[in-house]
Amino acid sequence: HFLPHQILHASDFPMSALSVKDLVGKKVGVCVSGGLDSKTVSKRLVEEGMDVLAFSADLGQPDESDINNVRERMATCGVDTVIVDLKELMAEGCFAIIEAQAKYDGGYWNTTGIGRIVTCYGLVKAMQEKNVDVLSHGATGRGNDQMRFERYTNVLAPSMTVYAPWRDPELLKQFPGRSEMAEYLNSFKIEAFVGPKKKYSTDANLAGLSHEAEDLESIQTAMLIVEPEMGVWPSAAPDKMEEIELTFTAARCTEINGVKMSALQVIHEANTIGGRNGLGISHALENRIIGTKSRGVYEAPGMELLGRGLEFVYQAVFDRRAATLFASLSKLVADQVYDGRWFDPATRAALVAIKELSKRASGKVKIGAYKGNVFFLSLTDVAHSIYNEADSSMEASDGLNPVSSQGYAEVQSVEAKSLARAGQIEGDLFLSPPTLNGQAQAKKRKL
């Protein structure tokens, strides 16, 4: 067992990537989807004489009609597969991200980030129960997921080794492309073929879909090449607005249109409603963990529907300083989810603070979904709302006495006049643009 005071040595952190040869005598758990990569890596490990067991996460993937088919596909490689049902946990993950409003670059609802949290948590636990020594994942050596799998395994099971096949020089040399993988499997009479070139690749789970790579790598290519799988483009959505009533209890959606539902049912229903109205399709040139930029087109119709609904409730219950604090916490959580740091102390502390702020976010919000947009219609039963119509009215009312504002205006004027008399107020209406000389000096400094 790992002890908090255990001393770590440099040898615990090898600088070179693990090779398949380093796994001899180990029990290897391979995270699989049943595709060409999964079968190739698993078969390659079996041929090296490894004790290999495959693990697959059921995350409610909308593009997977029957997750049990993974067992059949992996069996052709001589590997048994453990399928771990994580749909309920995935729904809870969606709720946590919605509560924190933890969107990343471009309004991306962190759908893949949520999926990796739940996948690693569920599969690492299942692997430990099967006495697995090494977790093997199929993430590329240029993306985010390799870091997420690595970090989550490290924090959840410090004694478990992580093997990344697509950082292994031997496998990279043997399988430079998909055709070589198919040829390798075919040599063992395992059915495998390279289909027609795809316009992009897709990662899916209950929260949404992430489309990237291939044709999408060129920023000269429009995002419109993506064919939505969870819904439609706004232009293809109905011409009539759909009204939806969401009931929130402490920031959790408990009812849709008056029907009580479990978290999983809420996400499914929200995906259906949001999808048919063209909600939640976004585009981002996002900042990857490893410092590069990547391009993604995302679908998260249910997350957008529920997230916007909750946002309207938050607007009613947060005062200005609470809203400012929440925004900073939200940004921190979004970055931590993206970076694979869900279990870090900073993330946990931020989530506790968010819980404190969101515990009064209860009530019913009616919204309108129309061609990719969400419109506010009404708020009711928000017991902790600090909005007072009488106080904000432009008409005569029993609310705030406008004459009483005179004292506040006079207090404000003391500081304003002091700044002006001290010469701290510049006369320019807008900041002057940099001079040509200034631009030349900046360019010279850069050179």
Side-chain angles (χ1 to χ4, degrees):
H1 295 285
F2 176 76
L3 299 176
H5 60 271
Q6 179 178 329
I7 297 174
L8 301 178
H9 302 280
S11 59
D12 293 319
F13 306 97
M15 293 300 291
S16 59
L18 278 179
S19 167
V20 66
K21 304 295 185 185
D22 299 323
L23 308 182
V24 174
K26 308 278 189 181
K27 185 172 184 178
V28 183
V30 185
C31 301
V32 303
S33 64
L36 186 60
D37 288 41
S38 298
K39 293 198 289 186
T40 301
V41 171
S42 296
K43 184 60 179 174
R44 182 71 173 74
L45 293 174
V46 168
E47 289 303 301
E48 286 288 339
M50 313 288 180
D51 182 3
V52 181
L53 188 58
F55 293 80
S56 189
D58 183 358
L59 301 174
Q61 298 92 319
D63 62 346
E64 184 78 64
S65 58
D66 185 2
I67 191 73
N68 290 306
N69 288 336
V70 174
R71 282 198 185 96
E72 298 175 15
R73 296 197 293 268
M74 296 307 300
T76 62
C77 303
V79 175
D80 290 331
T81 302
V82 176
I83 295 177
V84 185
D85 187 349
L86 299 172
K87 294 191 292 294
E88 293 285 352
L89 278 181
M90 190 66 210
E92 288 299 327
C94 293
F95 270 40
I97 298 304
I98 291 167
E99 181 180 3
Q101 299 281 295
K103 293 184 281 187
Y104 194 63
D105 291 350
Y108 161 49
W109 274 103
N110 256 320
T111 55
T112 301
I114 310 166
R116 295 303 176 254
I117 295 166
V118 176
T119 295
C120 292
Y121 179 83
L123 296 193
V124 166
K125 184 177 180 180
M127 289 183 187
Q128 288 175 317
E129 292 173 354
K130 298 291 184 180
N131 299 313
V132 166
D133 303 305
V134 180
L135 179 146
S136 172
H137 64 79
T140 172
R142 290 177 176 167
N144 294 316
D145 282 341
Q146 58 173 332
M147 301 305 170
R148 293 166 178 158
F149 275 105
E150 195 99 16
R151 186 169 182 85
Y152 287 140
T153 304
N154 290 163
V155 297
L156 294 171
S159 61
M160 188 177 288
T161 302
V162 180
Y163 172 60
W166 306 123
R167 293 203 305 258
D168 181 344
E170 186 175 338
L171 264 68
L172 287 171
K173 182 178 180 180
Q174 185 177 0
F175 304 113
R178 295 178 65 80
S179 59
E180 287 81 7
M181 296 183 205
E183 290 172 6
Y184 176 76
L185 292 174
N186 291 159
S187 70
F188 295 98
K189 302 290 192 290
I190 299 172
E191 183 177 338
F193 62 93
V194 180
K197 185 178 181 295
K198 296 182 179 180
K199 293 182 179 180
Y200 49 84
S201 64
T202 299
D203 185 87
N205 61 51
L206 179 69
L209 305 182
S210 299
H211 308 291
E212 61 180 10
E214 304 296 346
D215 292 0
L216 284 175
E217 290 177 351
S218 169
I219 55 176
Q220 302 301 314
T221 301
M223 66 183 287
L224 299 172
I225 68 167
V226 170
E227 297 178 10
E229 295 182 40
M230 297 182 74
V232 297
W233 284 106
S235 59
D239 294 326
K240 183 180 178 180
M241 181 182 294
E242 181 175 355
E243 295 187 6
I244 308 102
E245 183 182 74
L246 305 174
T247 301
F248 288 95
T249 303
R252 289 176 64 88
C253 183
T254 53
E255 298 180 17
I256 296 182
N257 293 327
V259 180
K260 290 186 177 181
M261 300 179 182
S262 67
L264 183 56
Q265 290 171 330
V266 165
I267 300 297
H268 275 305
E269 182 66 11
N271 277 337
T272 300
I273 295 171
R276 65 178 173 238
N277 287 289
L279 302 185
I281 302 178
S282 61
H283 173 276
L285 292 177
E286 69 195 50
N287 294 290
R288 275 182 173 169
I289 298 171
I290 60 174
T292 60
K293 282 273 191 183
S294 66
R295 184 190 186 195
V297 176
Y298 303 102
E299 298 180 55
M303 301 288 285
E304 182 71 6
L305 181 78
L306 298 170
R308 290 300 307 281
L310 180 57
E311 181 184 352
F312 293 132
V313 180
Y314 280 161
Q315 288 174 2
V317 299
F318 288 169
D319 63 68
R320 181 157 59 93
R321 287 168 179 79
T324 299
L325 175 60
F326 181 87
S328 66
L329 294 169
S330 176
K331 177 66 166 63
L332 186 148
V333 172
D335 288 351
Q336 294 288 87
V337 169
Y338 189 85
D339 290 351
R341 292 176 172 269
W342 179 255
F343 298 100
D344 283 22
T347 315
R348 312 310 272 188
L351 291 171
V352 170
I354 286 171
K355 280 288 184 190
E356 179 63 25
L357 292 170
S358 69
K359 68 183 182 182
R360 296 181 180 87
S362 300
K364 299 179 187 294
V365 58
K366 185 174 287 187
I367 56 180
Y370 180 69
K371 291 188 176 295
N373 296 288
V374 175
F375 298 97
F376 172 84
L377 300 180
S378 68
L379 266 179
T380 56
D381 300 332
V382 184
H384 298 289
S385 171
I386 56 177
Y387 174 74
N388 186 328
E389 186 176 340
D391 286 341
S392 60
S393 177
M394 299 296 182
E395 305 297 328
S397 71
D398 294 329
L400 176 69
N401 182 353
V403 177
S404 66
S405 296
Q406 178 64 30
Y408 188 68
E410 290 180 9
V411 170
Q412 292 275 45
S413 72
V414 174
E415 180 189 36
K417 291 178 180 179
S418 296
L419 287 170
R421 288 166 180 159
Q424 292 194 36
I425 303 298
E426 299 291 340
D428 289 347
L429 177 60
F430 301 109
L431 294 178
S432 301
T435 62
L436 290 176
N437 184 44
Q439 290 175 341
Q441 289 178 349
K443 184 176 181 181
K444 186 177 181 180
R445 285 196 297 270
K446 187 176 181 181
L447 293 174

